[in-house]
Amino acid sequence: MSNKEIADKLFLSIHTVTTHRRNITAKLQIHSPAGLTIYAIMNNLVDISDINLQ
């Protein structure tokens, strides 16, 4: 999901979502949205069937 989509869904500011994503990527040393997706799937944080492939 885009930052805006996440912000809208969670009723947060886009800036809050951006900051959280930046902090997560820094702590995990993952530098791409694809890398974060793979990490989430491999660690059972998200089910692959929940991913919307457009």
Side-chain angles (χ1 to χ4, degrees):
M1 296 173 77
S2 71
N3 289 341
K4 180 167 177 21
E5 291 171 327
I6 294 169
D8 289 345
K9 185 170 185 168
L10 298 177
F11 305 104
L12 297 171
S13 159
I14 293 174
H15 299 290
T16 301
V17 174
T18 302
T19 299
H20 283 304
R21 271 194 168 175
R22 187 180 326 118
N23 291 338
I24 290 167
T25 58
K27 288 178 182 180
L28 296 176
Q29 297 181 2
I30 298 172
H31 304 292
S32 71
L36 286 174
T37 303
I38 292 167
Y39 178 88
I41 293 168
M42 292 181 66
N43 290 280
N44 297 318
L45 300 173
V46 66
D47 190 316
I48 195 164
S49 63
D50 293 336
I51 297 173
N52 183 10
L53 302 174
Q54 294 179 355

